[in-house]
Amino acid sequence: MSMILLAPGGRTRRFSRRVGQVLITLFGLLLLTFFIGRVMPIDPVLAIVGPDADQSTYQQVYHQLGFDKSLATQFWIYLGGLLHGDLGNALLTGKPMLDDILRVFPATLELATVAIVVGAGLGIPLGVWAAARRNSIVDYAVRIISLAGYSTPIFWVGMMGLLLFYAWLGWVGGAGRIDLGLDGLVPRRTGLLLVDALLAGNGSVFFNALNHLVLPACLLGFHSLAYISRMTRSFMLAQLSQEFIITARVKGLTERQVIWNHAFRNILVQLLTVVALAYGSLLEGAVLIETVFSWPGFGSYLTGSLLLGDMNAVMGCVLVVGAIFVLLNLLSDMLYQLFDPRTK
């Protein structure tokens, strides 16, 4: 009875410790990003005033931005604003960073969500299939697909995909999220164009947006499929070599029951972590695909800000990416402890 009473407290302590580790990690990420942004050989003041501005204008903007203070003072000012939900203003747009991120992030969220559905929806069955038929033609084919997904540069795949499926075959839409003639026809509610089109009941916008989304999402999904299928295969091979699998086969269970009801059920918790990490990678790693497809998302915004020397925007974006990764890790750990009895 005492063990039962202590169990919730133990889980609470583990959760509190994990949250503390998350906060320390985010603080370290913020500190590192801030000082790297300040010492990089990019002059954000020059990016604002332009190369033809006189010295007095330059000094005035330099003072307004607080760059005349020490790095430590600048960091504590930035941290104080952050604790109040203020990420600062983007130097080039003049808008609050939070507004800019909320404007561009839904496009990346939509792209990454469809991509992870494709990657996990195909990668998990392929990994299971390859493990169940180890060293067969199927297994070799899945391993070749995984190797191709890892080794092929995503920007090259994107350009070839546009050339083949858009320019030559005309099966999909081109660059951007939607045709220019349909842009702005549905009110922005969630920022997710497919969802907003459904809420507005506009079928033409929905199918046009889907036509533009399918190619970049499938290419990103192929990239995550390579990782997910390889990890699924490894997890399944480890399970299929266990004694309880041999026992299940001796009892006369079909191979389908052995694979899906016994072996696959035991790797579900591990797959949660794999899919969560793959999803986080898609949210922060879609920069090249967004650039190739002119996708107005988070990655394109981050790249443009970096090239133009807008370090406020860069720091805000890096912090958001880090927070997403850390929170997804925390969520996967919580699910792992919830569903895996060995961690209780």
Side-chain angles (χ1 to χ4, degrees):
M1 184 69 178
S2 60
M3 293 178 63
I4 296 176
L5 292 174
L6 289 174
R11 287 196 295 268
T12 302
R13 285 193 297 271
R14 286 198 300 269
F15 177 74
S16 301
R17 184 166 57 250
R18 186 63 176 143
V19 170
Q21 293 172 352
V22 167
L23 294 176
I24 293 173
T25 302
L26 289 176
F27 179 79
L29 175 66
L30 175 64
L31 183 65
L32 182 62
T33 305
F34 180 86
F35 283 104
I36 288 177
R38 287 296 187 264
V39 300
M40 283 185 64
I42 298 177
D43 191 345
V45 179
L46 194 61
I48 296 175
V49 301
D52 298 326
D54 55 43
Q55 187 63 24
S56 61
T57 303
Y58 180 92
Q59 290 297 332
Q60 181 181 0
V61 174
Y62 187 85
H63 177 73
Q64 289 175 349
L65 296 176
F67 291 155
D68 55 336
K69 299 179 175 64
S70 66
L71 287 179
T73 303
Q74 293 180 48
F75 175 73
W76 289 115
I77 293 174
Y78 182 76
L79 182 60
L82 188 63
L83 293 176
H84 290 86
D86 182 12
L87 293 174
N89 292 338
L91 300 181
L92 297 179
T93 64
K95 298 179 180 178
M97 270 300 308
L98 188 59
D99 290 350
D100 278 359
I101 290 175
L102 291 176
R103 174 176 55 84
V104 300
F105 190 74
T108 298
L109 180 64
E110 187 173 51
L111 178 62
T113 301
V114 176
I116 198 62
V117 170
V118 173
L122 296 177
I124 292 175
L126 285 177
V128 173
W129 197 15
R133 292 163 175 78
R134 186 177 185 181
N135 294 328
S136 66
I137 296 178
V138 172
D139 186 21
Y140 288 127
V142 172
R143 289 156 71 178
I144 290 173
I145 291 172
S146 299
L147 180 62
Y150 265 111
S151 59
T152 308
I154 191 67
F155 68 89
W156 182 84
V157 175
M159 290 188 291
M160 293 301 101
L162 275 175
L163 182 63
L164 175 62
F165 296 106
Y166 170 64
W168 287 358
L169 299 177
W171 290 356
V172 297
R177 296 181 76 188
I178 195 170
D179 289 344
L180 292 177
L182 298 176
D183 191 18
L185 291 186
V186 297
R188 180 186 174 95
R189 298 180 182 177
T190 66
L192 306 174
L193 195 52
L194 295 180
V195 176
D196 289 344
L198 287 176
L199 293 176
N202 195 319
S204 60
V205 171
F206 175 83
F207 287 109
N208 188 269
L210 183 62
N211 198 34
H212 282 76
L213 176 65
V214 62
L215 181 57
C218 286
L219 294 180
L220 274 179
F222 173 68
H223 188 69
S224 64
L225 177 152
Y227 171 66
I228 293 173
S229 63
R230 184 172 66 87
M231 297 303 295
T232 303
R233 178 182 180 274
S234 298
F235 294 153
M236 284 295 295
L237 288 177
Q239 291 297 317
L240 290 174
S241 63
Q242 299 295 318
E243 291 184 0
F244 76 91
I245 296 295
I246 300 175
T247 304
R249 285 171 173 156
V250 170
K251 288 181 177 179
L253 297 180
T254 65
E255 192 66 14
R256 181 184 181 88
Q257 290 175 319
V258 170
I259 291 172
W260 292 104
N261 294 345
H262 289 74
F264 181 73
R265 183 177 295 178
N266 278 0
I267 70 169
L268 277 175
V269 178
Q270 295 169 294
L271 285 179
L272 284 174
T273 302
V274 169
V275 173
L277 293 177
Y279 188 44
S281 298
L282 292 176
L283 287 173
E284 61 87 21
V287 175
L288 294 176
I289 280 292
E290 289 188 3
T291 302
V292 171
F293 284 86
S294 299
W295 196 264
F298 187 77
S300 296
Y301 179 77
L302 173 58
T303 304
S305 300
L306 182 60
L307 293 176
L308 293 174
D310 191 348
M311 297 312 299
N312 264 4
V314 172
M315 287 189 296
C317 291
V318 170
L319 183 61
V320 169
V321 169
I324 290 172
F325 248 109
V326 171
L327 291 176
L328 284 175
N329 270 288
L330 176 62
L331 177 61
S332 63
D333 286 350
M334 292 171 58
L335 292 175
Y336 204 106
Q337 294 178 8
L338 179 64
F339 292 110
D340 191 344
R342 293 170 296 183
T343 62
K344 295 180 180 179

Short mmCIF file of all heavy atoms in Angstrom, two decimals, residues 64-91:
data_model
loop_
_atom_site.label_atom_id
_atom_site.label_comp_id
_atom_site.label_asym_id
_atom_site.label_seq_id
_atom_site.Cartn_x
_atom_site.Cartn_y
_atom_site.Cartn_z
N GLN A 64 19.37 53.77 -29.96
CA GLN A 64 17.98 53.36 -29.74
C GLN A 64 17.85 51.85 -29.54
O GLN A 64 17.02 51.38 -28.76
CB GLN A 64 17.11 53.81 -30.92
CG GLN A 64 16.88 55.32 -30.98
CD GLN A 64 16.11 55.72 -32.23
OE1 GLN A 64 15.93 54.91 -33.15
NE2 GLN A 64 15.69 56.98 -32.27
N LEU A 65 18.67 51.10 -30.25
CA LEU A 65 18.62 49.65 -30.13
C LEU A 65 19.36 49.14 -28.89
O LEU A 65 19.31 47.94 -28.60
CB LEU A 65 19.21 49.00 -31.39
CG LEU A 65 18.45 49.25 -32.69
CD1 LEU A 65 19.18 48.62 -33.87
CD2 LEU A 65 17.03 48.69 -32.59
N GLY A 66 20.03 50.00 -28.19
CA GLY A 66 20.72 49.61 -26.97
C GLY A 66 22.05 48.94 -27.18
O GLY A 66 22.60 48.33 -26.26
N PHE A 67 22.62 49.08 -28.38
CA PHE A 67 23.88 48.42 -28.67
C PHE A 67 25.07 49.13 -28.01
O PHE A 67 26.19 48.60 -28.03
CB PHE A 67 24.11 48.33 -30.18
CG PHE A 67 23.16 47.38 -30.87
CD1 PHE A 67 22.87 47.53 -32.21
CD2 PHE A 67 22.58 46.34 -30.17
CE1 PHE A 67 22.01 46.66 -32.84
CE2 PHE A 67 21.71 45.46 -30.80
CZ PHE A 67 21.41 45.62 -32.14
N ASP A 68 24.83 50.30 -27.44
CA ASP A 68 25.92 50.99 -26.75
C ASP A 68 26.12 50.47 -25.33
O ASP A 68 27.08 50.84 -24.66
CB ASP A 68 25.63 52.50 -26.72
CG ASP A 68 24.27 52.81 -26.09
OD1 ASP A 68 23.39 51.92 -26.10
OD2 ASP A 68 24.09 53.93 -25.58
N LYS A 69 25.22 49.59 -24.88
CA LYS A 69 25.35 49.00 -23.55
C LYS A 69 26.20 47.74 -23.62
O LYS A 69 26.46 47.19 -24.70
CB LYS A 69 23.97 48.67 -22.97
CG LYS A 69 23.05 49.88 -22.79
CD LYS A 69 21.71 49.45 -22.26
CE LYS A 69 20.81 50.65 -21.96
NZ LYS A 69 20.49 51.41 -23.19
N SER A 70 26.62 47.25 -22.47
CA SER A 70 27.42 46.03 -22.42
C SER A 70 26.56 44.83 -22.85
O SER A 70 25.32 44.88 -22.79
CB SER A 70 27.96 45.80 -21.02
OG SER A 70 26.90 45.55 -20.12
N LEU A 71 27.23 43.74 -23.25
CA LEU A 71 26.49 42.55 -23.68
C LEU A 71 25.64 41.98 -22.55
O LEU A 71 24.52 41.54 -22.78
CB LEU A 71 27.48 41.49 -24.19
CG LEU A 71 28.13 41.75 -25.55
CD1 LEU A 71 29.09 40.61 -25.90
CD2 LEU A 71 27.06 41.87 -26.63
N ALA A 72 26.19 41.99 -21.34
CA ALA A 72 25.44 41.46 -20.20
C ALA A 72 24.16 42.28 -19.96
O ALA A 72 23.08 41.73 -19.72
CB ALA A 72 26.31 41.46 -18.96
N THR A 73 24.29 43.61 -20.05
CA THR A 73 23.11 44.46 -19.85
C THR A 73 22.08 44.24 -20.96
O THR A 73 20.88 44.16 -20.69
CB THR A 73 23.54 45.94 -19.83
OG1 THR A 73 24.51 46.15 -18.80
CG2 THR A 73 22.34 46.84 -19.58
N GLN A 74 22.56 44.13 -22.19
CA GLN A 74 21.65 43.86 -23.30
C GLN A 74 20.92 42.54 -23.10
O GLN A 74 19.71 42.43 -23.37
CB GLN A 74 22.43 43.82 -24.62
CG GLN A 74 23.01 45.15 -25.05
CD GLN A 74 23.75 45.01 -26.37
OE1 GLN A 74 23.24 44.43 -27.33
NE2 GLN A 74 24.97 45.53 -26.43
N PHE A 75 21.63 41.53 -22.61
CA PHE A 75 21.01 40.21 -22.42
C PHE A 75 19.94 40.28 -21.34
O PHE A 75 18.85 39.71 -21.51
CB PHE A 75 22.07 39.18 -22.06
CG PHE A 75 21.50 37.83 -21.73
CD1 PHE A 75 21.00 37.02 -22.73
CD2 PHE A 75 21.43 37.38 -20.41
CE1 PHE A 75 20.45 35.78 -22.44
CE2 PHE A 75 20.89 36.14 -20.12
CZ PHE A 75 20.40 35.34 -21.14
N TRP A 76 20.21 40.93 -20.22
CA TRP A 76 19.22 40.99 -19.15
C TRP A 76 18.01 41.81 -19.56
O TRP A 76 16.87 41.50 -19.16
CB TRP A 76 19.86 41.55 -17.89
CG TRP A 76 20.81 40.61 -17.24
CD1 TRP A 76 22.14 40.75 -17.07
CD2 TRP A 76 20.49 39.31 -16.71
NE1 TRP A 76 22.68 39.64 -16.47
CE2 TRP A 76 21.69 38.73 -16.23
CE3 TRP A 76 19.30 38.58 -16.58
CZ2 TRP A 76 21.73 37.48 -15.65
CZ3 TRP A 76 19.35 37.32 -16.00
CH2 TRP A 76 20.55 36.78 -15.53
N ILE A 77 18.22 42.85 -20.37
CA ILE A 77 17.07 43.60 -20.89
C ILE A 77 16.22 42.71 -21.79
O ILE A 77 14.99 42.69 -21.70
CB ILE A 77 17.55 44.86 -21.64
CG1 ILE A 77 18.20 45.85 -20.67
CG2 ILE A 77 16.39 45.50 -22.39
CD1 ILE A 77 18.83 47.05 -21.37
N TYR A 78 16.90 41.95 -22.65
CA TYR A 78 16.19 41.04 -23.56
C TYR A 78 15.46 39.95 -22.78
O TYR A 78 14.30 39.61 -23.07
CB TYR A 78 17.18 40.42 -24.54
CG TYR A 78 16.56 39.49 -25.56
CD1 TYR A 78 15.85 39.99 -26.64
CD2 TYR A 78 16.68 38.10 -25.44
CE1 TYR A 78 15.28 39.15 -27.58
CE2 TYR A 78 16.11 37.26 -26.37
CZ TYR A 78 15.41 37.78 -27.43
OH TYR A 78 14.85 36.94 -28.35
N LEU A 79 16.11 39.40 -21.74
CA LEU A 79 15.51 38.36 -20.93
C LEU A 79 14.30 38.90 -20.16
O LEU A 79 13.28 38.21 -20.04
CB LEU A 79 16.54 37.79 -19.96
CG LEU A 79 16.09 36.64 -19.06
CD1 LEU A 79 15.65 35.44 -19.91
CD2 LEU A 79 17.20 36.23 -18.11
N GLY A 80 14.41 40.12 -19.65
CA GLY A 80 13.28 40.71 -18.95
C GLY A 80 12.07 40.87 -19.85
O GLY A 80 10.94 40.58 -19.46
N GLY A 81 12.30 41.33 -21.08
CA GLY A 81 11.19 41.43 -22.02
C GLY A 81 10.61 40.08 -22.37
O GLY A 81 9.39 39.91 -22.51
N LEU A 82 11.49 39.07 -22.48
CA LEU A 82 11.04 37.73 -22.83
C LEU A 82 10.15 37.14 -21.75
O LEU A 82 9.16 36.46 -22.04
CB LEU A 82 12.27 36.83 -23.05
CG LEU A 82 12.01 35.44 -23.62
CD1 LEU A 82 11.42 35.54 -25.01
CD2 LEU A 82 13.30 34.64 -23.66
N LEU A 83 10.48 37.41 -20.50
CA LEU A 83 9.67 36.90 -19.39
C LEU A 83 8.27 37.53 -19.38
O LEU A 83 7.35 36.98 -18.78
CB LEU A 83 10.37 37.17 -18.05
CG LEU A 83 11.67 36.39 -17.82
CD1 LEU A 83 12.33 36.81 -16.51
CD2 LEU A 83 11.40 34.89 -17.81
N HIS A 84 8.13 38.67 -20.04
CA HIS A 84 6.82 39.32 -20.15
C HIS A 84 6.17 39.03 -21.51
O HIS A 84 5.22 39.70 -21.91
CB HIS A 84 6.97 40.84 -19.97
CG HIS A 84 7.30 41.24 -18.58
ND1 HIS A 84 8.60 41.30 -18.10
CD2 HIS A 84 6.51 41.60 -17.52
CE1 HIS A 84 8.60 41.68 -16.85
NE2 HIS A 84 7.35 41.87 -16.45
N GLY A 85 6.70 38.03 -22.20
CA GLY A 85 6.13 37.65 -23.49
C GLY A 85 6.54 38.54 -24.64
O GLY A 85 5.90 38.49 -25.70
N ASP A 86 7.59 39.31 -24.47
CA ASP A 86 8.05 40.23 -25.52
C ASP A 86 9.33 39.69 -26.13
O ASP A 86 10.39 39.69 -25.49
CB ASP A 86 8.28 41.62 -24.92
CG ASP A 86 8.70 42.63 -25.99
OD1 ASP A 86 8.59 42.31 -27.19
OD2 ASP A 86 9.15 43.74 -25.61
N LEU A 87 9.27 39.23 -27.38
CA LEU A 87 10.44 38.74 -28.09
C LEU A 87 11.20 39.86 -28.79
O LEU A 87 12.18 39.60 -29.47
CB LEU A 87 10.03 37.67 -29.12
CG LEU A 87 9.48 36.36 -28.58
CD1 LEU A 87 9.00 35.48 -29.70
CD2 LEU A 87 10.53 35.64 -27.75
N GLY A 88 10.73 41.07 -28.60
CA GLY A 88 11.35 42.19 -29.30
C GLY A 88 10.71 42.43 -30.64
O GLY A 88 9.79 41.70 -31.07
N ASN A 89 11.18 43.44 -31.34
CA ASN A 89 10.66 43.77 -32.67
C ASN A 89 11.63 43.28 -33.74
O ASN A 89 12.85 43.32 -33.56
CB ASN A 89 10.45 45.27 -32.82
CG ASN A 89 9.31 45.78 -31.95
OD1 ASN A 89 8.44 45.02 -31.55
ND2 ASN A 89 9.33 47.06 -31.65
N ALA A 90 11.07 42.82 -34.84
CA ALA A 90 11.90 42.51 -35.99
C ALA A 90 12.47 43.82 -36.53
O ALA A 90 11.72 44.78 -36.77
CB ALA A 90 11.08 41.80 -37.07
N LEU A 91 13.76 43.89 -36.69
CA LEU A 91 14.39 45.15 -37.05
C LEU A 91 13.96 45.65 -38.43
O LEU A 91 13.86 46.86 -38.66
CB LEU A 91 15.91 45.00 -37.02
CG LEU A 91 16.50 44.59 -35.66
CD1 LEU A 91 18.01 44.49 -35.75
CD2 LEU A 91 16.11 45.58 -34.57
#
